Amino acid sequence: MNKEISTIGVLTSGGDAPGMNAAIRAVVRTALAQGKKVMGIRKGYNGLISGEIFEMESKSVSDTIQKGGTILYTARCKEFLTPEGQQRGADMCKVFGIDGLVVIGGDGSFRGAEKLSNLGINTIGVPGTIDLDIGCTDYTIGFDTAVNTAMENIDRIRDTSTSHERCSIVEVMGRDAGYIALWCGIVNGAEEIIIPERPDMDENEIIRRVIENRKKGKKHNLIIIAEGVGGSIELAEKIERVTGIESRATILGHLQRGGSPTALDRMHASMMGAYAVDLLCEGKSNRVVAFKNGKYVDFDIDEGLTMEKHFSDFRYDISKLLETR
Ligand code: ADP
Ligand code: F6P
């Protein structure tokens, strides 16, 4: 039988992502509108275990929708990887009367959410990660802002790269995924895109194309490489050594995770946060919210995480055509 929820907890976990605050805001305000009590949990599962838990009101989330980061802070929690840590987390929920929980984070955080569901706490995951690497959803909160931030910064690198007639290698985030790299490669007009989904990087072929582009009169070369492939500094050194063309590597790093969320991130975050509360109010547990084929839907957490992520061959193939001149 579905159990009636009285108090909804909310936490952010894993790497932060722009738009997490909009998701927290949506959880808080839609839960209050349904007559629920809302508890904010600071620092992810760490704060759950240590009891950094406080009651949230509507005004707790005022003036937050435009802010980057997460007002609840986030963390990675080793203790929560153990059955004892998970039990302590479930016990803490009981101490604070939390019978429904929204976990905003990535796939690791959802594995934790699954454990809490198994321990009797109705738990729902909301996908928040700049990496866009969750199988069941076409969108994860933070991706659009991260890509726009990377794009703007790569445009700047391109300016100086052209002035100096250099080859620039830019490494963008994506622990195991090349979505940010693919998008930046296309929207920044890069000459090469190197991503883990297409592990066919041939350094000699890349160097051959750098030389060929110079012969055609190109003033710079822009190579985007995903963090999951890595090796940007070594690649820059090798290109310079072999071609004699000055080369520089830039690792964009954590700047991609900050900043005010775009409209798209605020919108998806608001809808997904509200959807998660609806699921809890319907008595559901162990679900992950997703945006699939233009609709908000939900999946069993394990099913959602084991679904294969569709990688767009169409975009990749077009990127290859656009690289050539
Ligand atoms: P993300 O959620 O962004 O993928 P992580 O993979 O670092 O980030 O996971 C965030 C936190 O979720 C971890 O620090 C840990 O506390 C919890 N977690 C990750 N995997 C599991 C698991 N298999 N079981 C329980 N908790 C997990
Ligand atoms: O998962 C998001 C992400 O930003 C990855 O792209 C990156 O590999 C990782 O988090 C970095 O995590 P940390 O905050 O521990 O440096």
Side-chain angles (χ1 to χ4, degrees), residues 2-304:
N2 287 343
K3 82 175 175 202
E4 171 105 23
I5 297 294
S6 65
T7 302
I8 293 180
V10 57
L11 62 81
T12 48
S13 167
D16 65 348
M20 279 184 164
N21 287 327
I24 297 166
R25 174 178 177 270
V27 169
V28 172
R29 294 208 168 151
T30 53
L32 291 172
Q34 303 228 35
K36 311 297 175 193
K37 194 172 165 183
V38 183
M39 304 298 276
I41 300 157
R42 292 200 177 94
K43 304 178 196 168
Y45 295 121
N46 273 331
L48 180 63
I49 288 174
S50 62
E52 288 190 62
I53 299 172
F54 64 103
E55 187 166 351
M56 295 185 86
E57 300 161 21
S58 187
K59 70 173 185 313
S60 313
V61 289
S62 296
D63 197 26
T64 60
I65 195 164
Q66 79 285 13
K67 290 189 175 144
T70 158
I71 57 165
L72 290 177
Y73 304 93
T74 185
R76 296 197 164 92
C77 174
K78 279 201 181 128
E79 194 181 347
F80 203 72
L81 293 169
T82 66
E84 297 74 28
Q86 292 152 17
Q87 186 59 57
R88 241 187 307 273
D91 291 345
M92 272 303 193
C93 284
K94 284 177 193 135
V95 169
F96 285 86
I98 295 169
D99 42 15
L101 178 66
V102 178
V103 172
I104 305 165
D107 51 356
S109 303
F110 297 162
R111 287 293 172 202
E114 197 175 28
K115 303 287 171 19
L116 284 173
S117 291
N118 294 339
L119 293 169
I121 310 299
N122 283 14
T123 307
I124 306 292
V126 169
T129 165
I130 64 166
D131 287 357
L132 196 68
D133 61 348
I134 297 177
C136 63
T137 184
D138 296 339
Y139 197 75
T140 61
I141 297 162
F143 176 73
D144 186 57
T145 309
V147 166
N148 276 285
T149 303
M151 179 188 74
E152 287 167 15
N153 283 288
I154 295 168
D155 281 345
R156 296 185 178 101
I157 293 168
R158 189 188 174 111
D159 290 344
T160 171
S161 186
T162 306
S163 305
H164 288 262
E165 299 180 60
R166 282 176 175 155
C167 177
S168 288
I169 292 94
V170 183
E171 186 173 313
V172 296
M173 270 189 164
R175 188 164 35 192
D176 304 306
Y179 295 97
I180 298 177
L182 177 64
W183 274 64
C184 287
I186 294 171
V187 302
N188 287 107
E191 275 70 44
E192 300 279 348
I193 303 170
I194 304 170
I195 51 177
E197 291 82 355
R198 293 288 179 276
D200 51 3
M201 173 171 93
D202 177 346
E203 280 187 356
N204 294 330
E205 179 56 19
I206 289 170
I207 289 169
R208 192 192 64 71
R209 285 201 289 262
V210 169
I211 296 168
E212 192 182 301
N213 281 332
R214 288 295 153 138
K215 283 190 189 143
K216 286 182 190 163
K218 253 189 180 291
K219 294 292 184 204
H220 72 272
N221 261 87
L222 180 59
I223 300 175
I224 309 285
I225 186 161
E227 174 193 3
V229 177
S232 48
I233 294 169
E234 295 76 13
L235 183 61
E237 284 168 355
K238 184 163 179 187
I239 291 173
E240 183 161 320
R241 198 170 56 246
V242 176
T243 66
I245 296 166
E246 269 195 319
S247 300
R248 295 284 188 273
T250 307
I251 299 173
L252 286 187
H254 290 84
L255 68 81
Q256 294 161 94
R257 286 230 302 252
S260 179
T262 60
L264 191 72
D265 275 320
R266 297 180 200 192
M267 177 60 79
H268 279 306
S270 301
M271 297 304 116
M272 287 177 168
Y275 191 106
V277 169
D278 280 348
L279 289 174
L280 286 174
C281 291
E282 287 163 19
K284 304 255 177 69
S285 182
N286 202 40
R287 311 291 294 173
V288 53
V289 178
F291 185 69
K292 199 86 192 146
N293 302 321
K295 287 201 175 106
Y296 296 101
V297 292
D298 55 283
F299 295 94
D300 169 83
I301 289 182
D302 189 51
E303 183 197 350

